[in-house]
Amino acid sequence: MLETFSEHFDIERDDRSKPYGFRWQEASRGMAVSHLTPQESLLLQLAQEHLRNLLPPRLMQSMSGFFDQARRNLDGYPDNPQSTSLEREWQHKVRVVATSQPLLPPTIAPGVLEEVSEALYANRWLELDYQNAAGKRQQAKVMPLGLAQQGPRLYLVCRFEDFDNERSLALHRIRKAQASTLSFERPKEFDLAQYDADGRFGFGYGEKVRLTFEIETEAGFHLTETPLSRDQDVQVLNGEWMQISATVVDSAMLEWWLRGFGEAVRNIRKTAVES
């Protein structure tokens, strides 16, 4: 059947060995969706931008025909009368902006993201050549459990062979990666959302504290609109200062955040919270 399709669509056949391999040709329009509306085209293009590093490259590649068609729709492809100027303009009217100083993404070695994503998707062991921030290089076999994007960086959450605790490895520090043919049973007790909630991406260990500090009103006003926690309490001390109390996860990221206010924050106190 694929041989028949290859005669009518932009599909190329690799006949170097049997069974033959088939794939869409480079820049192929693929299997177009004739009723893809301008709104759906816009949604697909936005999805491509935000998911390109979070979905397996193979899955993204399988969707390339739809992404290409969405782009053609928004660019006003001649044979697609659905495209309108309003939809084309919309992608230039919305943007996700940085909450801190914007940084360029670090360079990830060729093939690393593909191998990491493949091993993560298929629950396969991953063999790594990793160099930490101190420059120490090591070979390791890890169990990939999650992939997270934090600002411009991507992190792999994994367990090293013969260990039962999780670590986060920056993808740009992985020099080489190779997905193994050996599979593993994903630990039922691991939950990526809980790992994040425990502050592990902020270099914490899930230990909650009752944080209390005083902050200049002008510097801390945004906390009255975007609180640190649901149980946050705000007390106005005078026209220039206010006191904030909230239950948060203690972490290095919390310390960096507090230090970022400089002299606008004072009297910082932390009290351990029993879990």
Side-chain angles (χ1 to χ4, degrees):
M1 181 176 293
L2 282 174
E3 289 189 15
T4 302
F5 280 161
S6 67
E7 296 174 359
H8 300 279
F9 296 98
D10 296 332
I11 298 175
E12 63 181 22
R13 185 181 72 179
D14 181 359
D15 54 8
R16 289 175 294 182
S17 62
K18 292 185 177 181
Y20 296 143
F22 295 86
R23 69 174 184 178
W24 290 109
Q25 294 178 8
E26 192 73 20
S28 166
R29 295 186 61 186
M31 297 286 286
V33 180
S34 59
H35 60 277
L36 195 62
T37 68
Q39 291 79 13
E40 291 166 341
S41 298
L42 175 63
L43 182 60
L44 275 172
Q45 190 157 2
L46 293 175
Q48 182 185 23
E49 287 299 315
H50 292 282
L51 297 176
R52 64 170 70 249
N53 291 327
L54 298 179
L55 290 179
R58 182 182 299 181
L59 179 56
M60 290 296 289
Q61 181 62 33
S62 70
M63 292 288 292
S64 62
F66 298 106
F67 293 141
D68 290 343
Q69 185 187 355
R71 185 167 53 253
R72 286 194 298 269
N73 286 358
L74 295 177
D75 288 343
Y77 200 75
D79 65 356
N80 205 319
Q82 290 179 318
S83 181
T84 70
S85 60
L86 292 179
E87 277 72 22
R88 288 199 303 274
E89 291 174 1
W90 182 257
Q91 57 189 318
H92 303 295
K93 295 179 178 179
V94 293
R95 187 172 182 84
V96 176
V97 298
T99 57
S100 60
Q101 174 62 35
L103 301 173
L104 295 176
T107 301
I108 298 176
V112 166
L113 178 58
E114 289 78 7
E115 291 294 323
V116 168
S117 298
E118 178 63 26
L120 177 63
Y121 181 78
N123 290 333
R124 294 180 182 174
W125 286 93
L126 187 62
E127 297 175 0
L128 301 179
D129 179 355
Y130 184 77
Q131 182 174 338
N132 64 19
K136 183 179 180 180
R137 197 161 175 170
Q138 69 176 113
Q139 308 291 320
K141 186 177 180 180
V142 303
M143 178 188 295
L145 299 175
L147 188 64
Q149 182 168 346
Q150 186 180 57
R153 305 177 190 86
L154 283 172
Y155 288 92
L156 169 68
V157 182
C158 62
R159 286 186 183 179
F160 279 70
E161 187 178 28
D162 299 326
F163 288 85
D164 59 3
N165 63 316
E166 293 79 35
R167 292 181 58 185
S168 300
L169 304 181
L171 253 67
H172 63 275
R173 297 195 184 119
I174 299 176
R175 301 308 177 209
K176 294 180 181 178
Q178 178 65 57
S180 170
T181 57
L182 301 176
S183 61
F184 62 85
E185 184 175 347
R186 185 176 174 85
K188 295 181 179 179
E189 70 275 13
F190 175 76
D191 183 276
L192 185 60
Q194 187 60 50
Y195 184 89
D196 180 26
D198 287 341
R200 297 296 298 275
F201 292 111
F203 304 98
Y205 296 94
E207 298 175 358
K208 291 189 176 182
V209 295
R210 186 66 182 177
L211 173 69
T212 301
F213 60 93
E214 296 174 8
I215 187 170
E216 290 183 358
T217 302
E218 184 176 351
F221 178 76
H222 68 284
L223 295 175
T224 65
E225 301 174 321
T226 54
L228 285 167
S229 67
R230 294 186 182 278
D231 65 355
Q232 175 177 289
D233 177 69
V234 180
Q235 295 184 20
V236 178
L237 302 179
N238 52 50
E240 297 181 355
W241 290 84
M242 58 185 178
Q243 179 178 279
I244 304 289
S245 295
T247 302
V248 297
V249 174
D250 196 13
S251 67
M253 183 176 289
L254 177 63
E255 292 294 331
W256 298 335
W257 179 75
L258 288 168
R259 286 202 297 265
F261 289 104
E263 295 181 355
V265 164
R266 67 188 185 187
N267 298 333
I268 300 173
R269 300 187 302 277
K270 294 180 183 178
T271 306
V273 174
E274 296 184 2
S275 56

